[in-house]
Amino acid sequence: MELLVTTPDNPVPSRFGASRHRLLPPERSSAPGASYRSRQIRGTLTASALLVAGVLALSGCGGGGSADGGDGKNGAGAQEGSGIRIAVSSKDGATNASISGTRVQVSGGTLTEVQLTAAESGKEVAGTMASGGASWKPSVQLERGTKYKIVAKAKDAEGRTATENATFTTVSSKNSFIGSYTPDNGKTVGVGMPVSFNFDKVITNKKDVQSHIKVTSSSGQQIVGHWFGAQRLDFRPEDYWKAGSKITMKIDLDGVKGGEGITGVQSKTVNFTIGRSQVSTVDMDTQMMTVKRDGKTIKSVPISGGSPENPTYNGQMVISEKFEQTRMDGSTVGFNNPDDTYTIPDVPHAMRLSTSGTFLHGNYWSDASKFGRSGASHGCIGLRDVQGGGGDTPGKWFFDQSLVGDVIVVKNSPEQTVKPDNGLNGWNLSWQEWQAGSAV
């Protein structure tokens, strides 16, 4: 009879190149009183015991960890005899790990500690443990092209422990794309505020990218995306958002191919609220601005718009930024003639209406007689104000009453209508034109 004994040091041989170990009958003993058959039985029992020990040894090695907590890889970390299994989503040794999808989960036990650090700097990444210790995730987005180390520890009901270690590198900036978006999570914005993405790479796979960004409203309004070129994607409904509605934006771009050699890395849900409806109309014929709140006029304010030489754009413009005070330099927006340029270091109550430099702002340097009578600016809309922005002035009042996302409508100017991609001004496209720019 031929028996094959397997132990950790003597694994099951392959079909080629390995010799078998034969258990031979023991040599005859000269010990008195010992028969050959009894010695043969003892030899057989010894072989059986060795076989069982070998099987047990193999089972012990298969647990993925040692009695002091183990050093498992990729979800196999467990103490011998326990049922703990720790899974790290970013695989050990990965070189293109997600910057937003790193997670640690455990079964058969509870996570007691998770430490994630940047390998080179040693800086620890803050994280959040789920209630009950079933999972953990970073509290912040990881950096691209960075090597990280993670150590996760868990314990079961009987006090046995397990440890999981992994080292991974996040996807590089060269091979990934990110979209900077507005508005931010938790903000309250005006009824004209679109969702706007600006990608850091040229997107050629527009359909897949757009289909992995879902924008919904509690109002039930249909929301459609529109591409401005290959790096900007905006979303809006047909008409302004309904006042008080809740907007949810789900970004599921992690792993989505944006084009040749670039993959998305973002996975996030953003929520923001639409405030009251405020739409203000500026009439360049009368140099007056009528402010309507929820459809009712609350105030008429004298303004001074663009001069005949530098008229203000017509059209619907959305407030995209607000500054208590800012510096304005005409040379940065094309006014380079010494007789025409300007530099004002402390413009009060400034609200941006276009990327090219159109603002609605306080004006303390023009004579008060200008407001409500004539345009004297380089294309901006000025409201009477004082230097430093203090006091009860039209400029301060309107600034305090306005939200990012409020709409300013300019009419009766000799200038052209503002381009829809010059700021957040896509409302100047008809609904048909807007839908035609969708890739989905």
Side-chain angles (χ1 to χ4, degrees):
M1 176 180 181
E2 184 181 272
L3 289 176
L4 185 62
V5 180
T6 61
T7 70
D9 296 321
N10 180 32
V12 177
S14 65
R15 291 178 59 194
F16 305 103
S19 62
R20 291 191 174 187
H21 295 260
R22 185 185 301 273
L23 183 66
L24 298 175
E27 296 181 359
R28 294 181 180 270
S29 170
S30 58
S35 69
Y36 170 76
R37 178 163 181 78
S38 65
R39 289 193 295 272
Q40 185 181 43
I41 292 173
R42 286 197 300 272
T44 303
L45 290 173
T46 301
S48 298
L50 286 172
L51 180 61
V52 171
V55 171
L56 290 175
L58 284 176
S59 298
C61 290
S66 62
D68 63 354
D71 187 22
K73 295 293 183 184
N74 301 330
Q79 182 183 14
E80 182 177 352
S82 78
I84 302 173
R85 290 294 181 271
I86 302 172
V88 179
S89 60
S90 299
K91 300 301 183 183
D92 184 57
T95 57
N96 61 345
S98 167
I99 65 171
S100 57
T102 297
R103 299 288 186 275
V104 179
Q105 293 182 307
V106 66
S107 61
T110 301
L111 289 171
T112 57
E113 181 185 353
V114 178
Q115 187 178 47
L116 177 63
T117 56
E120 290 188 9
S121 67
K123 182 179 179 180
E124 188 167 349
V125 179
T128 303
M129 189 80 74
S131 177
S135 63
W136 179 95
K137 64 179 181 179
S139 301
V140 296
Q141 187 171 267
L142 304 185
E143 297 293 331
R144 288 188 285 182
T146 302
K147 187 176 183 179
Y148 289 92
K149 293 182 179 180
I150 193 166
V151 180
K153 298 179 180 180
K155 182 172 65 175
D156 68 9
E158 298 181 28
R160 293 172 294 192
T161 61
T163 301
E164 176 74 3
N165 295 273
T167 299
F168 60 88
T169 302
T170 52
V171 64
S172 69
S173 297
K174 179 181 178 181
N175 296 322
S176 63
F177 70 90
I178 282 180
S180 301
Y181 57 84
T182 190
D184 291 332
N185 188 54
K187 295 291 186 180
T188 297
V189 296
V191 296
M193 187 69 184
V195 171
S196 184
F197 277 83
N198 282 279
F199 298 104
D200 65 349
K201 302 285 194 310
V202 170
I203 303 300
T204 56
N205 189 9
K206 292 181 177 179
K207 182 177 181 180
D208 277 359
V209 169
Q210 183 179 332
S211 64
H212 283 84
I213 303 172
K214 302 293 185 184
V215 183
T216 57
S217 172
S218 62
S219 68
Q221 290 173 277
Q222 180 189 7
I223 301 160
V224 174
H226 180 98
W227 288 88
F228 293 108
Q231 291 183 248
R232 177 174 166 184
L233 171 62
D234 286 11
F235 292 84
R236 52 157 268 213
E238 181 175 3
D239 300 311
Y240 299 144
W241 301 101
K242 300 296 183 184
S245 55
K246 308 293 184 182
I247 313 301
T248 299
M249 172 174 56
K250 291 186 176 180
I251 307 167
D252 188 23
L253 292 173
D254 196 16
V256 175
K257 299 296 183 184
E260 185 66 31
I262 57 169
T263 303
V265 292
Q266 291 168 288
S267 181
K268 189 174 185 178
T269 298
V270 176
N271 297 287
F272 61 95
T273 301
I274 305 301
R276 78 289 176 272
S277 171
Q278 182 167 298
V279 179
S280 303
T281 301
V282 175
D283 189 338
M284 287 300 170
D285 277 348
T286 62
Q287 296 289 301
M288 293 293 292
M289 177 172 68
T290 303
V291 183
K292 286 191 174 183
R293 177 81 55 83
D294 297 322
K296 296 180 179 179
T297 299
I298 62 171
K299 198 164 188 174
S300 292
V301 184
I303 63 96
S304 179
S307 67
E309 296 77 23
N310 300 294
T312 306
Y313 285 123
N314 281 300
Q316 302 169 77
M317 290 179 271
V318 173
I319 298 174
S320 59
E321 293 180 289
K322 293 178 65 182
F323 306 95
E324 291 274 359
Q325 184 172 288
T326 192
R327 179 178 184 272
M328 291 188 178
D329 185 344
S331 66
T332 65
V333 289
F335 292 103
N336 297 309
N337 188 318
D339 296 328
D340 204 26
T341 194
Y342 57 90
T343 298
I344 306 172
D346 57 351
V347 178
H349 303 126
M351 292 164 277
R352 181 182 290 278
L353 301 180
S354 76
T355 306
S356 62
T358 308
F359 279 79
L360 192 155
H361 59 75
N363 178 336
Y364 67 80
W365 52 89
S366 293
D367 189 277
S369 63
K370 293 286 186 182
F371 300 98
R373 293 179 180 272
S374 62
S377 79
H378 287 72
C380 291
I381 301 166
L383 303 179
R384 184 173 58 80
D385 215 325
V386 295
Q387 191 168 14
D392 183 14
T393 64
K396 185 178 188 307
W397 177 86
F398 190 72
F399 186 89
D400 291 344
Q401 296 297 315
S402 297
L403 293 172
V404 168
D406 282 349
V407 181
I408 309 295
V409 180
V410 178
K411 65 180 184 179
N412 297 325
S413 172
E415 183 59 286
Q416 64 181 342
T417 298
V418 65
K419 298 294 185 184
D421 60 345
N422 186 1
L424 302 177
N425 301 324
W427 300 103
N428 294 289
L429 291 175
S430 70
W431 186 233
Q432 281 187 331
E433 291 172 319
W434 186 266
Q435 290 177 306
S438 173
V440 176

